[in-house]
Amino acid sequence: MNPDEKTYTLSRLAERLDGQLAAPSAAKADKAKQAAELTIRGAAGIEHAGAGDITFIDDLSKLPAAEKSQAAAVIVPAEIEKSTKPIIKVKNPRLAFAEVLGLFAPPISLPAGVHPTAIVGDEVSLGENVAIGPYVIIGKGTKIGEGAVIYPQTHVGENVTIGAGTLIHPRVTIGWGTEIGAHCILHSGVVLGADGFGFNWDGKRHRKIPQIGRVVIEDDVEIGANTTIDRATTHITHIGRGTKIDDQVHIAHNVTMGENCIIAGKVGISGSVHIGKRVTLAGQVGVVDHVTIGDDAIVMARAAVFNDLPAGSVSSGTPAYPHREYLRVEAAVRKLPELLRQIRELKQR
Amino acid sequence: MNPDEKTYTLSRLAERLDGQLAAPSAAKADKAKQAAELTIRGAAGIEHAGAGDITFIDDLSKLPAAEKSQAAAVIVPAEIEKSTKPIIKVKNPRLAFAEVLGLFAPPISLPAGVHPTAIVGDEVSLGENVAIGPYVIIGKGTKIGEGAVIYPQTHVGENVTIGAGTLIHPRVTIGWGTEIGAHCILHSGVVLGADGFGFNWDGKRHRKIPQIGRVVIEDDVEIGANTTIDRATTHITHIGRGTKIDDQVHIAHNVTMGENCIIAGKVGISGSVHIGKRVTLAGQVGVVDHVTIGDDAIVMARAAVFNDLPAGSVSSGTPAYPHREYLRVEAAVRKLPELLRQIRELKQR
Amino acid sequence: MNPDEKTYTLSRLAERLDGQLAAPSAAKADKAKQAAELTIRGAAGIEHAGAGDITFIDDLSKLPAAEKSQAAAVIVPAEIEKSTKPIIKVKNPRLAFAEVLGLFAPPISLPAGVHPTAIVGDEVSLGENVAIGPYVIIGKGTKIGEGAVIYPQTHVGENVTIGAGTLIHPRVTIGWGTEIGAHCILHSGVVLGADGFGFNWDGKRHRKIPQIGRVVIEDDVEIGANTTIDRATTHITHIGRGTKIDDQVHIAHNVTMGENCIIAGKVGISGSVHIGKRVTLAGQVGVVDHVTIGDDAIVMARAAVFNDLPAGSVSSGTPAYPHREYLRVEAAVRKLPELLRQIRELKQR
């Protein structure tokens, strides 16, 4: 996909990637020049690369597949000498390919400035080149940093802070008092700062505990579509710098999460959970309230965390326990019907 | 519920359903005419049918319940001869009843044309009788087919295609480049084309892999409220014709799904999963990345798919395995405490 | 957090809470007056209480922690005699503290009246002091009770009823015919009244069963962000008075739920489930269709309900069964690898 029909010559891409261009192995000198001037029209994985596309491989074993593909050129690890296709040799093909994808990505489609239909409250401070789309509402006292982009139909509450360069897709809700760092990305349907789920039973009915805390999101955080992060009861629900959160994740009140975590789709994190740095929670993981998960812990898909997990641990299952033990237990569980038969035999003897 | 207070005579309904009307069994000739002219004011299941309602049964065993109900008339299978209530005999009462429900459903409440508050970009092409509601935004280059209806407050990105007769409920986000077929229904809060969840760890931080692929939805697909379908990294996240997706489903980047699948509420499908035709995923099912599920496979509620599943299979559990085996294993698991006791005994002997 | 910088003297808080103020234990008479005039600037839990904050404890064992905290004053149970900090003695400190939180919560930020950009249909009835925000759409025939607040960008369909004092946060969708009681709270992204997920397979394709029922929400219900409650097929999806529903819950068509239930985050409830009064479903619980759960039942986190559950039961697991049995079975499951070894030994003997 290349909505803007941008093109790059292969030599310009090589320059951009700080890579070394090499013409097809069998080529003569004039072919080398042809390779440098080759027009690249898009980028795709090997499987889907078309005639004008550049693709990439991250080890030698995939070179034959790349050469058989329709791709016009291949980004390869520096140790690869030659290919039947034009190649760009780089240190880290995966990072280089991501950079190329960025070149073909469509630009921000919202011009700087405030759309006439946006409603901006009193005492709002807007940095330079801020773009605010149609039907956006910005509450009073809110501060928006330089170059931030707020696509249409988003609601920003009062006294919110949004850092420089942060990108907010259409139809997001940001509750009062929320603090969002620089260079964050919020996808459509995100709700930050809805009330935490807190009630006291008075013997007759559940009485609401007003939630007057806030949500704080540090720099460089990405939050997926329809994810919800609730405000704290009295303090802060906190997401650390560089953490990446997928779609339809729910993070309850008073949760704290360290930097550079990876939280996959549909994870649910209950109230007052503390999560360290570089933690990975795979898809559909659940965490009960008041649990602590240590730095670098990994929780495998669908596990449910009912107890604290130590730093560096790898856990599976419901309740979650060490993954290696889980594998042994699961294998044994599958043998249970056979086991019952054996025990019946033993008893008869 | 019949918000428009529409009414139909029983004979008109019979005609519409290509069914045969029969007066109550004990009735004389003049009663037959009365039955034909009976006014039907709504439709409901047996349990809730009120005085003016028509209901249905799909086999003879339910006839007594229908006759005891408040319903004014009953849609019945053709083999039923007579009843104490007026009946309409049809081939397939379930399909016939659905047709009657359609007659009582409220019509589209949005007039054709573009509401003055909608913001429509350059080079947008609108088919005949397209209805675009208040506060809708349509990005440049988008094409909308004949008779499509876009309810208020939806955001349609650039270069999107929306097929004829497609119905989009309020507050939906459709990302740039998305392709939606004809006669689709998208419910509120749907997000199509948010970025896939892809990052490269560079040793210090997670660097975003720009997602430049698209979402393609074929004809006759229904997508439930607050469901998210992410764009592919470089190619297409694809949903086949006639597939029905419930609320709060998450479908990650690069997923392909065949035609006529049923995906129930809260299912989560990870990246690069391939799903065949007529697959059923029941509620809260999860599928890890890069797995293939064959045609006609059924995955039972809450199962987690960690490995490929063959065509025609029925699976349960976490990880998912054949349902029959799952039932045996689960029964055995429940006997485990008793088993431990028996083994202790055996050892003592 | 105290966005409005409200302050209260300690004596005013004591009065408000119907509590008894006591100066620090070592204080002389003039100190007692100082305590009464102490300015309270916010409220927080012990862990986070700052210099101007009031905090609370609910039993004597926490008094030392409260005294060590930064808090300016402490709400305590009436049986506590004295403290090194100023205290307010009350019957129920937890309820009293919630009341204090309410005093510091920001007020409704929307003035009464209809914002000029709101689009209000014909025959809409608005009670006194209703506040309708920018870019809200209200369908024809809708009735909104006294003092209800509808924050921006919400879509209210036709013939909806919204009770007095109900608060609707930004970006909510309320489908036609929905009935919402008084003093409810709906958070952002909620969708009430999307179509239930119902199809008939006709041998070639899934044909939609039109959903013409409604959603009825009784008084004093709270519904969390991005939660979806689908309309019934022909009758009513019903939520009882005082029930509290967390974020990202899905409630399918034809469900009925009694009063004062607690439904935690990410719960999924399938079609035609009947849930009694005061039922608790913990996080990520799933319930398959057509199941009945009795009054006062508790379903623990992540359990999947595949069968009816009796009143007063406590259940865990997938499928859910009595929690006590679950604990025994789970303990036994973890011993399975060891068990296999023992059986091998027994057989060799």
Side-chain angles (χ1 to χ4, degrees):
Chain A
M1 187 65 190
N2 181 353
D4 302 294
E5 298 181 26
K6 291 178 211 163
T7 61
Y8 300 86
T9 61
L10 197 57
S11 63
R12 198 175 146 211
L13 287 182
E15 214 176 292
R16 181 80 183 227
L17 300 176
D18 208 6
Q20 195 188 338
L21 197 155
S25 46
K28 293 175 192 162
D30 59 329
K31 294 276 171 181
K33 204 185 152 202
Q34 273 182 33
E37 285 168 3
L38 198 66
T39 298
I40 302 298
R41 300 180 179 284
I46 291 177
E47 205 184 343
H48 300 298
D53 288 341
I54 191 165
T55 189
F56 85 103
I57 58 173
D58 50 10
D59 69 73
L60 184 59
S61 70
K62 292 174 188 156
L63 187 57
E67 290 178 338
K68 256 179 265 168
S69 79
Q70 299 293 312
V74 190
I75 298 170
V76 302
E79 59 272 20
I80 289 183
E81 289 290 318
K82 54 187 184 178
S83 164
T84 61
K85 297 222 187 243
I87 54 179
I88 300 178
K89 304 177 188 189
V90 298
K91 244 197 226 162
N92 187 329
R94 211 162 263 280
L95 291 180
F97 186 67
E99 204 173 329
V100 171
L101 292 180
L103 296 175
F104 286 107
I108 297 297
S109 61
L110 201 65
V114 177
H115 192 275
T117 62
I119 297 175
V120 177
D122 296 339
E123 298 160 63
V124 165
S125 136
L126 301 181
E128 274 184 58
N129 292 315
V130 162
I132 296 183
Y135 304 130
V136 167
I137 293 172
I138 313 278
K140 75 171 180 205
T142 284
K143 290 177 183 58
I144 303 182
E146 188 181 335
V149 174
I150 303 183
Y151 277 109
Q153 299 156 323
T154 277
H155 188 271
V156 181
E158 302 188 351
N159 300 308
V160 168
T161 306
I162 297 174
T166 281
L167 175 61
I168 299 179
H169 284 275
R171 293 203 314 100
V172 164
T173 297
I174 301 172
W176 61 267
T178 299
E179 219 170 285
I180 302 173
H183 304 292
C184 291
I185 299 174
L186 273 60
H187 288 282
S188 284
V190 163
V191 180
L192 303 185
D195 285 345
F197 191 64
F199 302 90
N200 289 315
W201 178 250
D202 73 358
K204 285 191 179 168
R205 60 187 198 91
H206 300 291
R207 283 166 64 177
K208 183 172 178 72
I209 303 173
Q211 304 285 308
I212 67 170
R214 297 184 298 137
V215 172
V216 174
I217 310 286
E218 293 190 352
D219 297 346
D220 199 27
V221 169
E222 183 158 348
I223 304 178
N226 285 350
T227 281
T228 53
I229 305 180
D230 286 353
R231 68 175 62 252
T233 308
T234 65
H235 193 61
I236 285 169
T237 305
H238 189 274
I239 308 295
R241 165 195 290 260
T243 282
K244 309 299 182 185
I245 301 171
D246 200 354
D247 294 6
Q248 294 190 36
V249 170
H250 172 54
I251 300 178
H253 54 177
N254 314 323
V255 168
T256 64
M257 191 181 289
E259 60 188 49
N260 292 322
C261 293
I262 290 285
I263 310 298
K266 287 198 158 286
V267 165
I269 304 177
S270 305
S272 302
V273 164
H274 298 296
I275 295 181
K277 300 172 182 173
R278 297 172 304 275
V279 167
T280 301
L281 304 184
Q284 289 187 334
V285 160
V287 186
V288 303
D289 57 291
H290 290 89
V291 155
T292 296
I293 301 181
D295 292 349
D296 301 297
I298 295 170
V299 183
M300 308 291 276
R302 179 56 75 77
V305 181
F306 287 4
N307 299 98
D308 291 357
L309 295 179
S313 58
V314 180
S315 308
S316 286
T318 300
Y321 56 93
H323 182 62
R324 284 197 188 180
E325 193 189 337
Y326 169 82
L327 292 178
R328 278 196 303 270
V329 169
E330 275 308 302
V333 165
R334 293 288 288 277
K335 290 177 197 152
L336 259 181
E338 170 58 22
L339 199 64
L340 287 175
R341 224 170 298 135
Q342 290 181 9
I343 290 171
R344 237 174 285 135
E345 268 179 45
L346 281 171
K347 281 174 71 180
Q348 283 165 352
R349 275 191 247 160
Chain B
M1 187 64 191
N2 182 354
D4 302 295
E5 299 180 26
K6 291 178 211 162
T7 61
Y8 300 87
T9 60
L10 198 56
S11 63
R12 194 170 151 215
L13 287 182
E15 214 177 293
R16 181 78 183 231
L17 301 176
D18 208 6
Q20 195 187 340
L21 198 154
S25 46
K28 295 176 192 162
D30 59 330
K31 293 275 171 182
K33 204 187 155 200
Q34 273 181 32
E37 284 168 6
L38 198 65
T39 298
I40 301 298
R41 301 180 178 284
I46 291 177
E47 204 185 344
H48 301 298
D53 289 340
I54 191 165
T55 189
F56 84 103
I57 58 173
D58 49 12
D59 69 74
L60 184 59
S61 70
K62 292 175 189 156
L63 187 57
E67 291 178 338
K68 256 178 267 171
S69 78
Q70 299 293 313
V74 191
I75 298 170
V76 302
E79 59 272 21
I80 289 183
E81 289 290 318
K82 54 186 183 177
S83 164
T84 61
K85 297 221 186 243
I87 53 178
I88 300 177
K89 305 178 189 189
V90 300
K91 243 197 225 164
N92 187 328
R94 210 163 263 281
L95 292 180
F97 186 68
E99 203 171 331
V100 171
L101 292 180
L103 296 176
F104 285 107
I108 297 298
S109 60
L110 202 63
V114 177
H115 191 275
T117 62
I119 298 175
V120 177
D122 297 339
E123 297 159 64
V124 164
S125 135
L126 301 182
E128 272 184 59
N129 292 315
V130 162
I132 296 183
Y135 304 130
V136 167
I137 293 172
I138 312 277
K140 74 171 181 205
T142 284
K143 290 175 181 60
I144 302 183
E146 189 180 333
V149 174
I150 303 183
Y151 276 109
Q153 300 156 322
T154 277
H155 188 271
V156 180
E158 303 187 349
N159 300 307
V160 168
T161 306
I162 296 175
T166 282
L167 174 61
I168 300 179
H169 284 275
R171 295 201 314 98
V172 164
T173 298
I174 301 172
W176 61 266
T178 298
E179 218 169 287
I180 301 173
H183 304 293
C184 291
I185 299 173
L186 274 59
H187 289 282
S188 284
V190 163
V191 180
L192 302 185
D195 285 345
F197 191 64
F199 302 90
N200 290 314
W201 178 249
D202 74 357
K204 285 190 178 167
R205 61 188 198 90
H206 300 291
R207 283 164 66 175
K208 183 174 178 67
I209 303 172
Q211 305 286 308
I212 66 170
R214 299 183 297 139
V215 173
V216 173
I217 310 286
E218 293 189 353
D219 296 346
D220 199 27
V221 169
E222 183 159 348
I223 304 178
N226 284 350
T227 281
T228 53
I229 305 180
D230 286 354
R231 66 174 64 250
T233 308
T234 65
H235 193 61
I236 285 168
T237 305
H238 189 274
I239 308 296
R241 167 195 290 259
T243 282
K244 309 298 181 184
I245 301 172
D246 200 353
D247 294 5
Q248 295 190 37
V249 170
H250 172 53
I251 300 178
H253 53 178
N254 314 324
V255 168
T256 64
M257 191 181 289
E259 61 188 47
N260 292 322
C261 292
I262 290 283
I263 311 297
K266 287 199 158 285
V267 164
I269 303 177
S270 305
S272 303
V273 164
H274 297 296
I275 295 180
K277 299 172 183 173
R278 296 173 303 275
V279 167
T280 301
L281 305 184
Q284 289 187 336
V285 160
V287 186
V288 303
D289 56 290
H290 290 90
V291 155
T292 296
I293 300 181
D295 292 350
D296 301 296
I298 295 170
V299 184
M300 308 291 276
R302 179 57 76 75
V305 181
F306 287 5
N307 299 99
D308 291 357
L309 294 179
S313 57
V314 180
S315 307
S316 286
T318 300
Y321 57 92
H323 182 62
R324 284 196 186 183
E325 191 190 339
Y326 169 83
L327 292 178
R328 278 196 302 270
V329 169
E330 275 309 301
V333 164
R334 292 287 288 277
K335 291 179 195 150
L336 258 181
E338 169 57 22
L339 199 65
L340 286 174
R341 225 171 299 136
Q342 291 181 7
I343 289 171
R344 237 175 285 135
E345 266 179 47
L346 281 171
K347 281 174 72 179
Q348 282 166 352
R349 275 191 248 161
Chain C
M1 188 64 191
N2 181 354
D4 301 294
E5 299 181 24
K6 290 178 212 162
T7 62
Y8 300 87
T9 61
L10 197 56
S11 63
R12 197 175 148 210
L13 287 182
E15 215 177 293
R16 181 80 183 229
L17 300 176
D18 208 6
Q20 195 188 341
L21 197 155
S25 44
K28 293 176 195 160
D30 58 329
K31 293 278 171 181
K33 205 188 150 197
Q34 274 182 31
E37 284 168 4
L38 199 66
T39 299
I40 301 298
R41 301 181 177 285
I46 291 178
E47 205 185 343
H48 301 298
D53 288 341
I54 191 164
T55 190
F56 84 103
I57 58 173
D58 49 11
D59 68 74
L60 184 60
S61 70
K62 291 174 189 155
L63 187 59
E67 290 179 339
K68 258 178 266 170
S69 78
Q70 299 292 312
V74 190
I75 298 169
V76 303
E79 59 272 21
I80 289 184
E81 288 292 317
K82 53 187 184 179
S83 164
T84 61
K85 297 220 187 244
I87 54 177
I88 299 177
K89 304 177 188 189
V90 299
K91 243 196 227 163
N92 187 328
R94 210 164 262 282
L95 291 180
F97 185 68
E99 203 172 331
V100 171
L101 292 180
L103 296 176
F104 286 107
I108 297 299
S109 60
L110 202 64
V114 177
H115 193 276
T117 62
I119 297 175
V120 177
D122 296 340
E123 296 159 64
V124 165
S125 135
L126 302 181
E128 273 184 60
N129 292 314
V130 162
I132 296 183
Y135 305 130
V136 167
I137 292 171
I138 312 277
K140 75 171 180 204
T142 284
K143 290 175 183 57
I144 303 183
E146 189 182 334
V149 174
I150 303 184
Y151 277 109
Q153 299 155 323
T154 277
H155 188 271
V156 180
E158 302 188 350
N159 300 308
V160 168
T161 306
I162 297 175
T166 281
L167 175 61
I168 300 180
H169 284 276
R171 295 203 312 100
V172 164
T173 298
I174 301 172
W176 61 266
T178 299
E179 218 170 287
I180 301 174
H183 305 292
C184 291
I185 299 174
L186 274 59
H187 289 281
S188 284
V190 163
V191 180
L192 301 185
D195 286 345
F197 191 65
F199 301 89
N200 289 315
W201 178 249
D202 72 358
K204 285 189 179 166
R205 61 188 198 90
H206 301 291
R207 283 164 66 177
K208 183 173 178 69
I209 303 172
Q211 305 286 307
I212 66 169
R214 297 184 299 137
V215 173
V216 173
I217 311 285
E218 293 190 353
D219 296 346
D220 200 28
V221 169
E222 182 159 349
I223 305 179
N226 285 349
T227 281
T228 53
I229 305 180
D230 287 353
R231 70 174 62 251
T233 308
T234 65
H235 192 61
I236 286 169
T237 305
H238 189 274
I239 308 295
R241 166 195 289 257
T243 281
K244 310 298 181 184
I245 302 172
D246 200 354
D247 294 6
Q248 296 190 37
V249 170
H250 172 53
I251 300 177
H253 54 178
N254 313 325
V255 168
T256 65
M257 190 181 291
E259 60 189 45
N260 292 321
C261 292
I262 290 283
I263 310 297
K266 288 198 158 287
V267 164
I269 303 176
S270 305
S272 302
V273 165
H274 298 296
I275 295 181
K277 299 172 184 172
R278 298 172 303 274
V279 167
T280 301
L281 305 184
Q284 290 187 335
V285 160
V287 186
V288 304
D289 56 291
H290 290 89
V291 155
T292 296
I293 300 181
D295 292 349
D296 301 296
I298 295 171
V299 184
M300 308 291 275
R302 179 57 76 76
V305 181
F306 286 5
N307 299 98
D308 290 357
L309 295 179
S313 59
V314 180
S315 308
S316 286
T318 300
Y321 57 93
H323 182 63
R324 283 196 187 182
E325 190 189 339
Y326 169 82
L327 292 179
R328 277 196 303 270
V329 169
E330 275 309 301
V333 165
R334 293 286 287 278
K335 291 178 196 152
L336 259 182
E338 170 57 21
L339 199 65
L340 287 174
R341 225 170 298 135
Q342 291 181 8
I343 291 172
R344 236 173 285 133
E345 266 180 46
L346 282 171
K347 282 174 71 181
Q348 282 166 353
R349 272 191 251 162

